[in-house]
Amino acid sequence: MTEPPKARRSLHARILAALGAGAVAGVVVNQIALRSDRARTIVGYLIDAVAHPIGQLFLRLLFAVVVPLVFCSLALGVTQLGSMRHLGRIGGRTLTFFLITSAFSVALGLAVMAVFRPGEGFDDAVRQQLMTAYGGDAAHLRQTADQQNVGTLLGVVNRLLDSVLPRNILAAAVKMDMLPVIVMALLVGGATSVLPEPHKGRLSGLYEAVAEAMVRIVELAMRLAPYAVFCLVFSVTARFGIDLLRRLAIFVMLVLGSYLVQLFILYPVLVRTMARMSPMEFIRKTIPIVVTAFSTSSSNATLPTTMRVAEQELGVRKTVSGFVLPLGATINMNGTALYEGAVVLFVAQIFGVHLSLASQAAVICLAVAAAIGTAGIPGGSLPLLMAVMAQVGVPPDGIAIILGVDRLLDMGRTVINVMGDVACAVWVERTEAAREARSP
Ligand code: ASP
């Protein structure tokens, strides 16, 4: 029942066209809404009553399959891998890739802001305006950051335990906390692999069947994608303050430019040198992932598409994709890491806070940790970003200055986050294939 490649390609083209059309329609409608109160009301109605539900239907279909898909793919992968040593090897490579690319990304974000210094000489009146307009949102985020802040050592240890293996694993799954779901799937897969037959075979069959059924739901969601992507992008651009974009233009362009460096230089170089894959092929085949990540702003919502494309288009085996991609969507956020470095330095420049090289090195470590802890949902990084700012003496409320353009930049950084996972998966796939070729 899986669609033939040609039909898939035409669907991809339609989704891409919908993204462009949604952006243009949104900008046009945004300008019309500025003309009168009546126009603004009609546009608000169009967004809330038409575009929003269509976009949400798509998003919710994707979210609905994430937990069962990740759990079953991973449990099946571990059962089939059989030995924990094998898993340790894949895990070691994956984590090394994630850590190095994340640290590089924060350093890139810092370097770009240090060279161009967009925050120096930032208009004081504009700063005040932005702080007033978005100060409420920043205070709200601060509350979330404070709730996550656990003062004592015991508190920190318990928080760490909770985020990896909480007492109530089902509650974590219900909240879509992916790290505990991943840990549980590893445990269940490991336990299944040592069961005698017929139990082992039956359970593997069950994991495989559930994962397959979830992929069918993703395929259904993808049929809706051209309309949903149009609506999601339209909702963002129609509401967007173009005027705000103008005032933060240099910052926005620097961040978007750095994303492009990651997407078109860093990943292609890694894919070419480490995975021996043509960068053009890599980019062409991953277009559905890029479009889904861009329009949903969520690594989690994109995960089912990421897994499907990695397996069906890039030839990544299920045992690798089922392990690397869910882990990546949860802890590998290169775009977010870059963004955090860039925002910390930009806001520091605006407030005249000097960050020494040692503080910038601290930002790299903190931002990598924060990116690991970031939930793969829209705006997931913001509370932790405030915590990083506070740690290095940059006023966290200064985040208000960039909040108005955050959604747009979130769309871009989610693409980078997810593409980093895919680059890692094709590399691990290549190393596994090479190993098999050496010792069949
Ligand atoms: N939206 C991002 C993601 O899901 C997380 C973030 O940076 O806010 O990957």
Side-chain angles (χ1 to χ4, degrees), residues 219-238:
E219 285 174 358
L220 176 73
M222 289 316 277
R223 282 173 205 232
L224 200 66
Y227 313 100
V229 164
F230 178 93
C231 291
L232 287 168
V233 177
F234 172 83
S235 303
V236 174
T237 45

Side-chain angles (χ1 to χ4, degrees), residues 27 88 126-127 183 198 207 265 267 272 305 316 348 356 361 365 369 392:
V27 171
V126 174
R127 186 187 82 177
V183 172
Y207 303 148
I265 299 179
Y267 295 151
R272 156 66 77 207
T305 310
V316 178
S356 64
C365 299
V392 291

Side-chain angles (χ1 to χ4, degrees), residues 29 218 298 300 434:
V29 164
V218 177
S298 165
N300 283 355

Side-chain angles (χ1 to χ4, degrees), residues 107-131:
L108 179 63
L110 283 170
V112 168
M113 292 298 148
V115 170
F116 293 96
R117 305 186 170 277
E120 280 177 10
F122 195 78
D123 188 341
D124 234 23
V126 174
R127 186 187 82 177
Q128 283 304 337
Q129 267 173 15
L130 292 172
M131 292 291 287

